[in-house]
Amino acid sequence: MIQVAPSILSADFARLGPACDAMMAAGADLLHFDVMDGVFVPNISFGIPVLKDLNAYTDAPIDVHLMITEPHRYIAQFAENGADYITIHVEAESDVPGTLRAIADHGAVPSISIKPGTPPQAIFPYLTQVGMVLIMSVEPGFGGQSFMPSAIEKAKVLRAECDRLGLWDMLIEVDGGINLTTGRQMTEAGANVLVAGSALFKAQDPAAMITALKAE
Ligand code: DX5
Ligand code: ZN
């Protein structure tokens, strides 16, 4: 099954709740919530207070993508304020296993991400600790960039390694430049969670687009 996660970075923040409702009504599975600190990435987005209010507003699962340095300092707050999935970057954390454990201990699904310049092998040691991996198909920091095809091979390598380890339920998420063409390339390579920001929020008919993204 393919899941679609609209990236709310592309939403109108003055109308965030209804924008999320519209995406869920259009068939989305979870809301992708991009947290940027201006240090790990050259942009600042939103954080815990916005998550708290969004979680109180919607029943949708929330997929928190932490593009911040030292994410271990904030795991408890994100988990307690509504994160269902918490993704950290392997490049951002010195104690990756400890931080993934903290995510699980706080009741969220741990997930680990790689930037375009990081090989998939960098996260092999953590696969048994996570329920999801996130392949960045753009440099993190901004919506609306073009998909980097190097993500396709990474999905194949990660899916093969998960299969070898018997991790049949692993979610492989891809984030950045996803549209109908690149989404299909990624699902054929083994990804099963498609993040889409600008493509979905600019779509004339988001429901039709989500249906097409989910078609196997
Ligand atoms: C980029 C973010 C993405 C971004 C994707 O750093 O992690 O989630 O919103 O946006 P699109 O789909 O427009 O590339
Ligand atoms: Zn993201």
Side-chain angles (χ1 to χ4, degrees), residues 7 32-34 65 67 134 136 175 195:
S7 171
H32 186 81
F33 190 96
D34 283 309
H65 177 192
M67 288 164 275
L134 168 55
M136 287 306 300
D175 182 9
V195 176

Short mmCIF file of all heavy atoms in Angstrom, two decimals, residues 7 32-34 65 67 134 136 175 195, ligand 2:
data_model
loop_
_atom_site.label_atom_id
_atom_site.label_comp_id
_atom_site.label_asym_id
_atom_site.label_seq_id
_atom_site.Cartn_x
_atom_site.Cartn_y
_atom_site.Cartn_z
N SER A 7 3.00 17.73 2.54
CA SER A 7 3.92 18.54 3.36
C SER A 7 3.28 19.89 3.59
O SER A 7 3.14 20.70 2.66
CB SER A 7 5.26 18.72 2.66
OG SER A 7 6.01 19.66 3.39
N HIS A 32 2.65 15.67 6.84
CA HIS A 32 4.10 15.80 6.97
C HIS A 32 4.41 17.20 7.50
O HIS A 32 4.03 18.21 6.89
CB HIS A 32 4.76 15.54 5.63
CG HIS A 32 6.26 15.50 5.67
ND1 HIS A 32 6.96 14.39 6.08
CD2 HIS A 32 7.18 16.44 5.37
CE1 HIS A 32 8.26 14.65 6.01
NE2 HIS A 32 8.43 15.90 5.58
N PHE A 33 5.15 17.25 8.63
CA PHE A 33 5.34 18.49 9.41
C PHE A 33 6.83 18.80 9.47
O PHE A 33 7.58 18.14 10.21
CB PHE A 33 4.74 18.22 10.80
CG PHE A 33 4.61 19.39 11.71
CD1 PHE A 33 3.41 20.09 11.81
CD2 PHE A 33 5.67 19.80 12.51
CE1 PHE A 33 3.27 21.16 12.69
CE2 PHE A 33 5.54 20.87 13.39
CZ PHE A 33 4.33 21.55 13.47
N ASP A 34 7.28 19.75 8.68
CA ASP A 34 8.72 20.04 8.52
C ASP A 34 9.20 21.07 9.52
O ASP A 34 8.83 22.25 9.43
CB ASP A 34 8.96 20.60 7.11
CG ASP A 34 8.93 19.53 6.05
OD1 ASP A 34 9.63 18.51 6.21
OD2 ASP A 34 8.20 19.72 5.05
N HIS A 65 9.15 15.80 10.72
CA HIS A 65 10.47 15.69 10.09
C HIS A 65 11.35 16.77 10.71
O HIS A 65 11.20 17.96 10.41
CB HIS A 65 10.30 15.89 8.58
CG HIS A 65 11.57 15.88 7.80
ND1 HIS A 65 11.63 16.29 6.48
CD2 HIS A 65 12.83 15.49 8.12
CE1 HIS A 65 12.86 16.17 6.04
NE2 HIS A 65 13.63 15.70 7.01
N MET A 67 14.43 18.80 10.96
CA MET A 67 15.65 19.28 10.29
C MET A 67 16.29 20.28 11.24
O MET A 67 16.35 21.49 10.99
CB MET A 67 15.27 19.92 8.94
CG MET A 67 14.87 18.87 7.92
SD MET A 67 13.99 19.57 6.51
CE MET A 67 12.35 19.61 7.18
N LEU A 134 13.59 7.85 5.83
CA LEU A 134 13.21 8.96 4.94
C LEU A 134 14.39 9.31 4.04
O LEU A 134 15.46 9.69 4.53
CB LEU A 134 12.80 10.18 5.78
CG LEU A 134 12.63 11.52 5.05
CD1 LEU A 134 11.66 11.40 3.90
CD2 LEU A 134 12.15 12.58 6.02
N MET A 136 15.78 11.84 1.48
CA MET A 136 15.58 13.19 0.95
C MET A 136 15.98 13.20 -0.53
O MET A 136 17.11 12.83 -0.88
CB MET A 136 16.44 14.21 1.70
CG MET A 136 15.97 14.54 3.11
SD MET A 136 14.25 15.07 3.23
CE MET A 136 14.24 16.53 2.18
N ASP A 175 10.99 12.37 0.11
CA ASP A 175 10.58 13.75 0.37
C ASP A 175 11.39 14.70 -0.50
O ASP A 175 12.61 14.78 -0.37
CB ASP A 175 10.83 14.04 1.86
CG ASP A 175 10.41 15.42 2.32
OD1 ASP A 175 9.78 16.15 1.54
OD2 ASP A 175 10.72 15.75 3.48
N VAL A 195 5.90 11.93 0.24
CA VAL A 195 5.66 13.28 0.73
C VAL A 195 5.52 14.18 -0.50
O VAL A 195 6.31 14.08 -1.43
CB VAL A 195 6.84 13.78 1.59
CG1 VAL A 195 6.63 15.24 2.02
CG2 VAL A 195 7.03 12.88 2.82
ZN ZN B 2 10.10 17.00 4.97
#
